[in-house]
């Protein structure tokens, strides 16, 4: 089935207190990375509009937080079924504004439907916990209480999944939201907010804004009415936002960058490793925080691995998501293409061999060839081993001892996903214990599904999204210690 791009509406305005409105600060082009052409406009909020969005979220909070949790969940579940009804429009919108393939676009919408549904079902299950009292006849209760109006800021690479993970949890918890979605992919966010509204979300509960990013986050975090900031994006921007949130002690959740290592041990099945990880490496053109990006392969399997991964990478069919048979889409913008070229050239200067790919594709849009960079020493200072590559590129290096492999994997300044392929229980235990990673796949990928908590470590962030913990991130656990009165 092909995507009908005529269904996409690639423009996005602001949504403040239940009304769609043009931005006072003008607008910005929305570009299809698959063609490089302008396809729409995104409205940019002025300061008064940002203040109005915060005021609307504040005004809506008492009623929304007092709404029965199960009724809040009903809105999310209704939005999930509306998104399922609008799957063709949603897939067309994502495909156009992110450059994804049809399969990636459709897959993302299915995950987003599941996310809304899961949070909808769990809204009514967030319960207080009762503890025995410290004195006879007394008791203590820990009661999750919604924090208040919160700010949510998301990256462009999974515009539907990131929006539904954050909005689903915040709304289930009873918070109201000012949502600053990425200006690179605004229309998917707009569609999700439209569907939540159609599902019955009252005015002011979710307010959607776009703008000059630093100014927007500075304005939102300057408000003492904003009680939490949940961010998904790059590590560099996460650090800026954590600093902006600090003066008002705004609670933050930071879902940041990654540079996932894959340990291919001597007992691994090379064909299985490649079949399992290639989709995650090249899906969304490698622009995922959990994309495998550094393969460390036992020396006994190295030559076979390089040959087979190179052959697999070369099979990808690059092109626009609307073209028949395309399996690898575009990267976000020319800046990413330039960064990938720079990383490749720097790796070559450090002694690597590019076994396939390595350059921009000569066509309209922002395409980089699927690229394998082989042979960097484990202790190489090549930038590609420490900088998140965020593209269809992977390194392959050879190791001889497990200690060496773990040390090399831990050299990158990120601690998010890591993958290990082994049939040895000892290797499994050693790597789980010693890898700097918070999301580990053993002989499989490590997907962030709606029912489990997931968060980064170190430069990959902190706090949790997903599962009950993801909802609790938007609450304060209030402790009530009580002894019955005598009356
Ligand atoms: P980004 O950090 O450039 O942008 C993310 C959001 O922050 C956008 O809304 C953007 O407008 C805003 N922003 C950008 N610069 C800002 C600034 N100076 N001040 C305030 N806000 C600013 O990231 P991106 O390019 O959109 O996304 C890619 C990054 O996101 C990668 O590092 C990727 O690993 C990460 N990511 C992490 C996860 C996760 O779950 N950990 C998931 C998806 C993406």
């Amino acid at each position: 089935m092909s995507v009908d791009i005529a269904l996409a509406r690639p423009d996005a305005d602001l949504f403040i207190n239940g009304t769609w409105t043009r931005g006072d600060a003008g607008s910005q082009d929305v570009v299809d990375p698959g063609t490089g052409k302008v396809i729409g406009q995104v409205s940019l909020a002025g300061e008064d509009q940002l203040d109005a969005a915060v005021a609307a979220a504040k005004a809506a909070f008492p009623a929304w937080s007092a709404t029965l949790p199960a009724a809040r969940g009903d809105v999310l579940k209704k939005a999930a079924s509306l998104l399922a009804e609008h799957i063709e429009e949603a897939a067309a919108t994502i495909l156009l504004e992110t450059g994804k393939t049809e399969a990636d676009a459709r897959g993302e919408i299915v995950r987003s439907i599941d996310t809304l549904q899961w949070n909808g079902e769990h809204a009514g299950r967030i319960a207080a916990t009762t503890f025995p009292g410290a004195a006879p006849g007394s008791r203590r209760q820990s009661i999750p209480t919604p924090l208040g109006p919160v700010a949510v800021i998301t990256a462009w690479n999974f515009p539907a999944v990131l929006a539904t993970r954050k909005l689903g949890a915040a709304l289930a918890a009873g918070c109201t939201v000012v949502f600053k979605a990425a200006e690179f992919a605004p229309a998917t966010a707009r569609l999700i907010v439209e569907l939540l509204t159609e599902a019955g979300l009252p005015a002011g509960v979710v307010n959607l804004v776009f703008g000059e990013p630093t100014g927007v986050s500075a304005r939102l975090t300057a408000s003492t009415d904003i009680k939490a900031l949940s961010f998904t994006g790059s590590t560099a921007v996460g650090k800026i936002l954590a600093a902006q949130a600090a003066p008002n002690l705004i609670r933050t959740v930071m879902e940041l960058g990654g540079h996932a290592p894959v340990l291919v041990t001597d007992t691994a099945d090379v064909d299985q490793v490649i079949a399992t990880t290639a989709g995650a490496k090249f899906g969304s053109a490698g622009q995922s925080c959990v994309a495998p990006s550094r393969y460390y392969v036992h020396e006994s399997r190295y030559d076979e691995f390089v040959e087979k991964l190179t052959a697999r990478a070369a099979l990808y069919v690059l092109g626009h998501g609307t073209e028949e048979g395309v399996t690898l889409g575009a990267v976000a913008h020319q800046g990413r293409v330039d960064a990938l070229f720079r990383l490749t050239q720097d790796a070559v200067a450090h002694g690597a061999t590019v076994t396939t790919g390595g350059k921009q594709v000569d066509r309209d849009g922002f395409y980089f060839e699927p690229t394998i960079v082989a042979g960097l020493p484990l202790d190489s200072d090549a930038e590609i081993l420490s900088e998140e590559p965020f593209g269809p590129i992977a390194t392959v290096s050879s190791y001889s001892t497990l200690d060496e492999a773990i040390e090399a994997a831990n050299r990158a300044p990120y601690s998010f996903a890591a993958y290990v392929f082994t049939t040895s229980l000892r290797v499994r235990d050693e790597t789980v214990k010693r890898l700097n990673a918070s999301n580990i796949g053993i002989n499989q990928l490590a997907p962030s599904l709606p029912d489990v908590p997931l968060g980064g470590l170190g430069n990959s962030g902190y706090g949790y999204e997903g599962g009950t913990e993801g909802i609790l991130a938007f609450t304060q656990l209030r402790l009530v210690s009580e002894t019955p009165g005598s009356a």
Side-chain angles (χ1 to χ4, degrees):
M1 200 194 324
S2 61
V3 167
D4 179 2
I5 52 168
L7 291 171
R9 292 175 289 131
D11 295 306
D13 280 332
L14 316 175
F15 189 61
I16 299 173
N17 203 21
T19 303
W20 291 99
T21 178
R22 285 279 154 84
D24 289 344
S27 65
Q28 183 176 310
D29 290 344
V30 179
V31 172
D32 173 358
T35 61
K37 298 204 165 52
V38 175
I39 49 170
Q41 294 292 313
V42 52
S43 269
L44 307 178
E47 289 193 342
D48 288 350
Q49 291 177 310
L50 295 172
D51 293 347
V54 174
K58 184 181 181 187
F61 178 69
W64 181 247
S65 57
T67 301
L68 279 180
R72 297 198 296 256
D74 286 343
V75 174
L76 292 171
K77 287 186 283 182
K78 174 77 177 157
S81 45
L82 287 171
L83 185 53
E85 283 170 29
H86 286 75
I87 191 162
E88 294 304 317
E89 177 184 351
T93 305
I94 288 201
L95 185 152
L96 271 194
E97 65 180 7
T98 67
K100 290 189 193 226
T101 63
E102 179 182 352
D104 287 341
R106 287 187 186 283
E108 181 171 352
I109 298 301
V110 170
R111 280 179 65 196
S112 305
I113 293 166
D114 289 348
T115 303
L116 287 170
Q117 183 70 26
W118 191 90
N119 282 285
E121 283 164 4
H122 279 71
R125 296 185 189 147
I126 300 299
T129 312
T130 302
F131 297 85
S138 69
R139 64 178 181 179
R140 293 170 298 168
Q141 261 195 321
S142 176
I143 307 171
T145 312
L147 282 173
V150 299
V152 155
I153 300 181
T154 53
W156 70 271
N157 62 332
F158 285 94
V161 162
L162 299 180
T164 52
R165 274 172 86 75
K166 289 189 192 297
L167 295 182
L171 296 175
C175 291
T176 54
V177 182
V178 179
F179 174 24
K180 211 286 288 170
E183 291 71 24
F184 281 118
T188 305
R190 187 221 64 233
L191 177 61
I192 285 165
V193 171
E194 280 176 353
L195 297 178
L196 281 163
T197 306
E198 194 180 332
L201 202 67
V205 175
V206 170
N207 304 274
L208 177 65
V209 297
F210 304 97
E212 187 284 303
T214 319
V216 173
S217 60
R219 192 80 183 178
L220 296 180
T221 49
S223 168
T224 51
D225 291 325
I226 293 294
K227 304 302 181 194
L229 165 63
S230 181
F231 173 70
T232 298
S234 61
T235 301
V237 172
K239 289 181 179 179
I240 293 171
L241 293 182
Q244 286 182 341
N248 281 329
L249 297 179
I250 292 173
R251 197 176 288 198
T252 54
V253 171
M254 293 286 161
E255 300 277 342
L256 308 180
H259 196 348
V262 186
L263 269 55
V264 184
T265 68
D266 53 347
T267 60
D269 172 342
V270 165
D271 293 318
Q272 188 229 338
V273 178
I274 292 171
T276 305
T277 59
K281 172 65 266 178
F282 297 106
S284 297
Q287 299 164 109
S288 158
C289 52
V290 295
S293 44
R294 296 173 290 142
Y295 288 89
Y296 295 105
V297 184
H298 189 264
E299 58 193 4
S300 63
R301 321 303 299 277
Y302 178 76
D303 290 340
E304 177 193 4
F305 190 86
V306 171
E307 188 189 320
K308 287 183 169 172
L309 185 63
T310 301
R312 181 71 190 85
L315 282 182
Y316 278 91
V317 179
L318 259 150
H320 196 275
T322 51
E323 292 163 19
E324 201 62 40
V326 160
T327 51
L328 183 61
V331 294
H333 44 69
Q334 186 59 36
R336 283 259 39 89
V337 173
D338 295 344
L340 292 166
F341 187 67
R342 170 178 55 79
L343 290 173
T344 309
Q345 293 298 300
D346 176 71
V348 170
H350 282 80
T353 304
V354 177
T355 61
T356 187
K359 57 185 193 310
Q360 181 162 14
V361 179
D362 185 17
R363 60 172 287 165
D364 287 344
F366 313 120
Y367 295 92
F368 197 77
E369 294 171 339
T371 300
I372 304 301
V373 171
L376 283 171
L378 296 178
D379 62 353
S380 168
D381 289 329
E383 290 170 344
I384 195 169
L385 292 179
S386 56
E387 181 178 324
E388 181 181 23
F390 219 53
I393 184 168
T395 65
V396 190
S397 299
S398 165
Y399 75 85
S400 54
T401 67
L402 186 64
D403 283 349
E404 246 178 38
I406 293 174
E407 197 180 315
N410 287 346
R411 282 187 85 216
Y414 293 96
S415 319
F416 199 38
Y419 308 96
V420 181
F421 287 81
T422 181
T423 57
S424 158
L425 195 54
R426 182 189 68 78
V427 170
R428 181 262 180 221
D429 286 353
E430 278 289 299
T431 50
V432 168
K433 205 163 47 193
R434 292 172 52 198
L435 280 174
N436 284 342
S438 57
N439 184 22
I440 301 176
I442 308 283
N443 298 322
Q444 64 155 78
L445 296 177
S448 42
L449 299 177
D451 58 336
V452 284
L454 177 62
L457 274 168
N459 274 332
S460 294
Y462 52 78
Y464 296 98
E465 241 178 31
T468 304
E469 289 80 355
I471 299 176
L472 289 175
F474 291 100
T475 69
Q476 174 67 27
L477 291 177
R478 292 197 185 191
L479 179 62
V480 179
S481 304
E482 55 189 322
T483 301
S486 53

